[in-house]
Amino acid sequence: MIKNYIIKYSIEFVVIILGITVSFWLNEFSNNSQNENERVKVLAGLQAEINEIRNYCTQRKATWKIDMNIMDIFLSQQADESKKLEISKLTTSKNRIETILVLYRVFDPPLNRYYSIINSGDLRFVKSDKVKENLSRLHNTSFSYLKTAVDHEKQLKQSFIPFLTSNHPEVVLAKKSNNLSLERYVDILSSSINSDKKLQSKLILLRGYLENKISILDLYMLNLEDLEFEINSALES
């Protein structure tokens, strides 16, 4: 009788242990599966955002290069007629030229997914240290370099407004006048640049800032490619 009880309770104990073990294993499997789904979701979201960032950077770089080309034309020694012809190939807007002189172009790539992942803590689902390292390099280090370059350009351009209004009001008035064509505006601005070494020096400095900004953008885009490679590798693993 005692032996039967021992056997009975031993079997029940084993069944309970097995049940707990199986339940724990199923729960663990479910959690791992959910974590894996979240990992893929996070990486896929970052992957999609990379394409958006790349498109933004490509457009921004093209814009900055046109700005620099227009500035090079104004700083060149070519004849006024040649300047007007070259500039007309790049822009038909006086606003575009004024933007190069006194306004600044922000650098604000689409980072909504990245910030959402960081703020929600979903980055914990990403197991790859290389992905995390490249994310930090891109969105912290390289991005801060670009922001600093934009801020330096902004500070220099802010000094252009009082300088132009005090020393070259004809340029400001020509831009605001609806009766003056782009060609005439280019003539007036070109004459002001040629006659004022301070204005020339400011434009040369500004041109250097633009060139530096494009170089930093190139580095940013290289880091973007590195991140994309690591994300693709993580998704394939």
Side-chain angles (χ1 to χ4, degrees):
M1 182 69 67
I2 295 176
K3 183 178 180 181
N4 290 339
Y5 276 119
I6 292 174
I7 294 173
K8 176 184 176 182
Y9 289 124
S10 295
I11 293 173
E12 291 179 353
F13 178 77
V14 171
V15 168
I16 291 171
I17 295 299
L18 285 174
I20 293 173
T21 302
V22 170
S23 176
F24 176 81
W25 181 83
L26 289 174
N27 185 62
E28 186 73 13
F29 177 81
S30 176
N31 287 338
N32 289 339
S33 178
Q34 183 177 354
N35 288 345
E36 176 61 15
N37 289 337
E38 290 297 323
R39 184 186 77 90
V40 172
K41 180 180 176 182
V42 168
L43 291 174
L46 291 171
Q47 189 180 50
E49 191 166 72
I50 283 175
N51 290 324
E52 297 172 5
I53 296 172
R54 182 186 292 110
N55 291 336
Y56 176 89
C57 290
T58 300
Q59 294 171 5
R60 190 93 311 196
K61 183 177 179 179
T63 299
W64 290 349
K65 280 193 169 184
I66 292 175
D67 288 350
M68 195 162 65
N69 290 339
I70 290 174
M71 200 173 299
D72 285 339
I73 294 170
F74 276 112
L75 289 169
S76 71
Q77 299 301 314
Q78 58 185 303
D80 288 343
E81 290 302 317
S82 178
K83 287 183 180 181
K84 286 187 285 188
L85 178 61
E86 292 300 315
I87 287 176
S88 67
K89 294 177 182 178
L90 297 174
T91 183
T92 58
S93 171
K94 291 191 286 184
N95 289 332
R96 176 67 181 270
I97 297 173
E98 184 186 54
T99 297
I100 297 171
L101 292 176
V102 299
L103 302 177
Y104 73 100
R105 302 186 190 279
V106 300
F107 183 76
D108 191 21
L111 301 177
N112 291 338
R113 289 187 179 90
Y114 170 72
Y115 288 134
S116 176
I117 288 167
I118 294 298
N119 292 333
S120 66
D122 287 347
L123 189 61
R124 70 183 184 278
F125 295 113
V126 177
K127 300 175 183 178
S128 172
D129 289 334
K130 290 185 176 179
V131 169
K132 294 177 181 178
E133 289 170 6
N134 279 277
L135 275 172
S136 178
R137 185 179 300 118
L138 178 72
H139 295 308
N140 295 326
T141 307
S142 294
F143 186 68
S144 68
Y145 288 161
L146 266 170
K147 283 289 190 181
T148 300
V150 170
D151 287 342
H152 287 166
E153 179 192 12
K154 176 183 176 182
Q155 291 169 15
L156 179 60
K157 285 189 172 183
Q158 285 175 336
S159 71
F160 265 65
I161 298 175
F163 177 82
L164 286 175
T165 54
S166 297
N167 298 281
H168 299 281
E170 69 278 4
V171 173
V172 179
L173 293 173
K175 191 281 169 182
K176 296 299 180 184
S177 175
N178 294 326
N179 297 322
L180 286 178
S181 65
L182 173 67
E183 290 74 16
R184 182 60 185 141
Y185 177 63
V186 170
D187 277 337
I188 293 171
L189 178 55
S190 182
S191 176
S192 296
I193 294 171
N194 292 336
S195 64
D196 189 342
K197 292 189 180 298
K198 287 185 178 180
L199 181 54
Q200 289 178 33
S201 65
K202 282 178 175 290
L203 288 176
I204 289 170
L205 280 175
L206 183 57
R207 200 257 184 215
Y209 280 8
L210 257 176
E211 187 174 27
N212 181 57
K213 194 168 60 172
I214 291 173
S215 297
I216 298 174
L217 178 61
D218 286 336
L219 178 60
Y220 182 88
M221 294 178 75
L222 283 175
N223 288 335
L224 188 68
E225 297 301 320
D226 290 341
L227 174 61
E228 183 177 41
F229 175 81
E230 295 300 339
I231 287 176
N232 290 339
S233 298
L235 285 170
E236 292 170 2
S237 64

